[in-house]
Amino acid sequence: MKRQVEQVSRRRIALDQQPLLPSLREETAAVAPGIERPVDEGPNLEAVLEPSNLRRAVRQVIGNGGSPGVDGMGVKELPGYLREHWPSLKADLLSGFYRPQPVRRVEIPKASGGVRKLGIPTVVDRFLQQALMQVLQQHWDPTFSEHSYGFRPGRSAHQAVARAQGYLRDRRRWVVDLDLEKFFDRVNHDKLMGEVAKRVTDQRLLVLIRRYLRAGVMEHGVVRPSTMGTPQGGPLSPLLSNLLLDRLDRELERRGHHFVRYADDCNIYVVTRRAGERVLSSITRFLETKLKLQVNRAKSAVDRPWNRSFLGFSFTRATPRRTVGVKALHAFKVRVRELTHRNRGASLGTVIRDLTPFLCGWRAYYGFSETRVPLHLLDCWVRRKLRCYVWKQWGPARRRELQRLGIPPEEAGVGGCSLGPWRMSLHPVTNRALSDAFFAARGLPSLCAVP
């Protein structure tokens, strides 16, 4: 392993000593061979390096926060670093000497099980990617399909769900739920750069984007080259994914399908199961042959919309109404259990302060649901979990604490009951002492309240 690290390091040093411009024509040809360049002007490096664009990028990177990359620099250090090093950094970009650093690979647990691999670029590379993305998005976004909603200004997941609901109201009660297997990890660089080259004439930008794709990944201290994929975590990756999947959008439009796409989540709505099976088969062939993407056949399916989830939401049967999906409900309970674990040892006020941002964020998103019963049931469940937490903390002092909260002495005797906290959390005396008003007075938000 040590020998492999030394070999990778020597290769990177040799590459860093070579300028971009002398071999620019050859490297650009390798980016997208056979692609005919458009004659109209598009985004260029000078637009990326405009002071106003750079200032906006700095503000965005600092506002996003995030962990350091492989160099250990934090976002708060970025302004000072740029004040000192920007002239030389700009010169490297213009002359072609600049090469991105590898991304730091981290694994984030998913609520459904497994992990999601994220690539964290250095803060400087995040800043440059953000500046590049702002310019490219300005040119590319107006050309994207109206059926695409992910990572686009002025568009949201709620709009995508509402569009899907509209198809159901038009009596399209079967859905082709496409799942792309590890999409961001398996993007074909040649296919992607072919699409970029159709829209970018500045060869310097073409090579810079390609170098970001091939910057490599550092995992467990070892740098590995990147031969495919666009690592999640960088500002440029969502835009590039939309660019590649715009080919899918245009193909679906050409065939006259009714669909909604949010990043790599795509649902196609049809009238019959048989039509859905034909669509799933033909679109799978298109994705695997034309875009070199892998469809997860185990997770993709033709089914009723109320049996599936789209962006965390599902729909009711008779009259299509938005409701919270089963997976989202499960993930909610998993997170609340972590925050209200009875052995935490924190005060009730601390637990509520930890719960509040999660509950408010969850309510802001899932408050879009049109069925309020699941939200009410979750509200009741959260308060019951907190009653368990308090009952456990009270211990031998339960009778005294119940009396302190206004329970008469003859009723406070339930504090000596041998039943466990979960069963006692439903006892009428416990519910009177630790009422909804009790928790509301301590700042616990309600999921049913209007955000």
Side-chain angles (χ1 to χ4, degrees):
M1 182 178 293
K2 182 178 180 181
R3 186 177 181 181
Q4 291 176 345
V5 174
E6 292 175 351
Q7 289 175 348
V8 172
S9 299
R10 285 198 295 270
R11 285 198 298 269
R12 292 195 62 83
I13 292 172
L15 287 172
D16 288 340
Q17 293 173 348
Q18 297 176 5
L20 179 152
L21 291 180
S23 59
L24 187 59
R25 189 178 304 277
E26 292 80 2
E27 192 168 353
T28 306
V31 166
I35 295 298
E36 186 175 334
R37 301 290 185 270
V39 296
D40 60 318
E41 290 188 5
N44 55 60
L45 186 57
E46 283 72 23
V48 174
L49 301 181
E50 278 287 330
S52 59
N53 185 58
L54 296 175
R55 285 194 293 269
R56 188 154 64 99
V58 169
R59 289 195 297 268
Q60 189 66 42
V61 170
I62 294 176
N64 290 342
S67 303
V70 295
D71 61 354
M73 181 190 298
V75 292
K76 293 183 179 180
E77 301 173 61
L78 179 61
Y81 178 89
L82 292 178
R83 278 193 292 269
E84 182 177 354
H85 298 282
W86 176 245
S88 61
L89 182 58
K90 181 179 179 180
D92 286 346
L93 288 165
L94 291 172
S95 64
F97 278 97
Y98 183 77
R99 289 184 179 272
Q101 293 294 307
V103 299
R104 182 169 66 88
R105 173 64 55 83
V106 297
E107 295 182 345
I108 306 297
K110 294 194 291 187
S112 58
V115 295
R116 175 180 288 108
K117 293 185 176 181
L118 298 181
I120 302 179
T122 64
V123 173
V124 173
D125 281 326
R126 263 182 272 174
F127 157 68
L128 294 176
Q129 282 193 41
Q130 179 68 32
L132 179 58
M133 185 276 291
Q134 290 168 178
V135 171
L136 295 179
Q137 188 175 63
Q138 182 180 359
H139 286 81
W140 294 355
D141 191 78
T143 70
F144 289 158
S145 169
E146 64 171 330
H147 300 88
S148 168
Y149 290 86
F151 308 116
R152 297 184 60 188
R155 289 177 168 246
S156 67
H158 287 173
Q159 292 174 339
V161 173
R163 183 76 173 263
Q165 185 180 17
Y167 291 142
L168 298 183
R169 288 174 174 167
D170 290 340
R171 311 304 297 175
R172 299 183 180 276
R173 297 300 182 89
W174 289 91
V175 60
V176 181
D177 190 354
L178 280 174
D179 185 272
L180 297 178
E181 189 170 356
K182 298 181 179 179
F183 168 74
F184 287 94
D185 295 331
R186 296 190 174 181
V187 168
N188 184 283
H189 287 176
D190 291 337
K191 291 293 183 181
L192 176 56
M193 290 309 304
E195 295 302 313
V196 174
K198 293 176 183 178
R199 298 167 182 253
V200 175
T201 58
D202 191 328
Q203 296 181 359
R204 299 166 298 176
L205 287 189
L206 285 173
V207 176
L208 184 59
I209 293 171
R210 180 170 177 261
R211 286 180 173 174
Y212 270 120
L213 292 175
R214 301 179 66 87
V217 175
M218 177 176 284
E219 193 170 12
H220 306 301
V222 179
V223 176
R224 295 185 290 102
S226 303
T227 57
M228 62 172 58
T230 59
Q232 297 184 72
L236 195 57
S237 182
L239 180 63
L240 294 178
S241 68
N242 269 338
L243 177 65
L244 181 63
L245 290 176
D246 191 60
R247 283 278 305 277
L248 171 63
D249 298 340
R250 299 309 177 185
E251 179 65 17
L252 292 172
E253 289 175 352
R254 186 184 68 80
R255 300 184 186 189
H257 290 310
H258 298 75
F259 70 98
V260 182
R261 183 177 66 79
Y262 190 96
D264 58 330
D265 288 331
C266 183
N267 278 5
I268 307 167
Y269 294 88
V270 295
V271 177
T272 65
R273 174 187 282 277
R274 187 175 179 183
E277 290 171 348
R278 288 198 303 267
V279 170
L280 178 58
S281 177
S282 61
I283 290 301
T284 297
R285 284 197 303 272
F286 173 82
L287 287 167
E288 294 182 348
T289 58
K290 299 296 185 181
L291 299 184
K292 304 299 181 184
L293 297 172
Q294 185 67 39
V295 174
N296 189 329
R297 287 172 169 77
K299 294 184 178 180
S300 299
V302 179
D303 204 345
R304 293 292 194 180
W306 46 85
N307 295 331
R308 311 292 292 187
S309 291
F310 181 55
L311 302 178
F313 290 91
S314 188
F315 301 96
T316 57
R317 292 187 182 220
T319 302
R321 302 176 66 204
R322 300 183 297 270
T323 188
V324 183
V326 174
K327 291 182 180 179
L329 293 174
H330 173 72
F332 175 90
K333 290 191 173 183
V334 168
R335 181 57 179 154
V336 171
R337 285 190 184 103
E338 292 174 354
L339 295 173
T340 60
H341 195 278
R342 297 175 205 169
N343 296 325
R344 271 192 66 180
S347 67
L348 177 63
T350 299
V351 173
I352 290 178
R353 281 196 299 272
D354 292 343
L355 272 173
T356 296
F358 171 72
L359 294 179
C360 290
W362 201 91
R363 180 181 64 189
Y365 185 75
Y366 289 101
F368 192 57
S369 170
E370 294 176 313
T371 56
R372 313 307 289 179
V373 172
L375 303 182
H376 174 70
L377 292 177
L378 287 180
D379 254 348
C380 296
W381 183 80
V382 170
R383 289 192 290 266
R384 186 178 179 186
K385 291 292 291 181
L386 290 175
R387 290 187 187 105
C388 286
Y389 188 87
V390 174
W391 191 264
K392 174 77 173 178
Q393 276 202 330
W394 279 350
R398 288 167 186 153
R399 294 184 184 183
R400 183 178 70 248
E401 293 295 337
L402 287 172
Q403 293 182 52
R404 187 177 62 83
L405 293 174
I407 302 299
E410 60 274 14
E411 295 184 61
V414 300
C417 183
S418 61
L419 295 177
W422 184 246
R423 294 183 66 180
M424 287 304 300
S425 64
L426 283 181
H427 195 283
V429 171
T430 311
N431 276 260
R432 278 177 24 225
L434 303 174
S435 63
D436 296 354
F438 171 87
F439 291 114
R442 283 153 182 80
L444 182 70
S446 170
L447 297 177
C448 294
V450 178

